[in-house]
Amino acid sequence: MKIIIGSDHGGLLLKNQIFQHLKDNGYDVDDVGTYTADSCDYPVIAKDLTSKVLESAENLGILVCGTGIGMCIYANKVKGIRAAHCTDTYSARLTRQHNNTNVLCLGERITGFGLGLDIVDEWLNASFEGGRHQRRIDMVNELDRMR
Ligand code: RB5
């Protein structure tokens, strides 16, 4: 399993903290940028990250921008991506257990470093429960056939 992380300039500092945290905890991490504080476009990063997440069903992605919202809007338009914008650990846990999310979105201007890392840990340590939740995900995926 690989964890791909990415941010725009608005999420750079939190993304870098997450990168180090995941490395320290032994995860295989791929950082797709951005790497400087220069202004950049979050859709470019989200496009790169989501395509890498989809290379393996085992992969997970973490996207950070100023609010986490632009990244989440983009990611959820990509077929096969289920992204959640989380500002608390309860939502982070439940969105793995019930929604089987494969991308977590965070807002650096909303969520501090301490809580941000806790949200990441809670999300990574939770597992999809399947059953009725898979049926509901299948119902959501029906939308892909209507586009
Ligand atoms: C950049 O200023 C900001 O718009 C971006 O980081 C993000 O919050 C967009 O949703």
Side-chain angles (χ1 to χ4, degrees), residues 20-126:
Q20 195 55 51
H21 178 70
L22 295 177
K23 281 281 189 192
D24 290 347
N25 285 282
Y27 286 101
D28 182 6
V29 194
D30 185 2
D31 181 353
V32 299
T34 187
Y35 306 110
T36 75
D38 296 342
S39 182
C40 65
D41 299 327
Y42 65 81
V44 174
I45 300 293
K47 181 179 183 185
D48 192 13
L49 182 137
T50 51
S51 73
K52 286 188 162 65
V53 167
L54 292 173
E55 286 173 3
S56 164
E58 302 287 299
N59 287 349
L60 294 171
I62 300 173
L63 282 167
V64 190
C65 63
T67 59
I69 294 171
M71 290 292 199
C72 198
I73 290 171
Y74 186 99
N76 275 311
K77 287 184 179 290
V78 179
K79 187 177 176 182
I81 296 294
R82 292 169 305 283
H85 174 240
C86 293
T87 56
D88 66 276
T89 53
Y90 180 82
S91 299
R93 184 169 73 254
L94 269 287
T95 199
R96 281 304 295 290
Q97 293 175 339
H98 291 189
N99 311 121
N100 199 17
T101 46
N102 51 9
V103 171
L104 172 68
C105 301
L106 296 167
E108 179 182 305
R109 297 174 189 159
I110 311 299
T111 304
F113 295 151
L115 177 58
L117 296 184
D118 279 359
I119 290 171
V120 167
D121 287 343
E122 197 75 14
W123 186 70
L124 290 175
N125 291 329

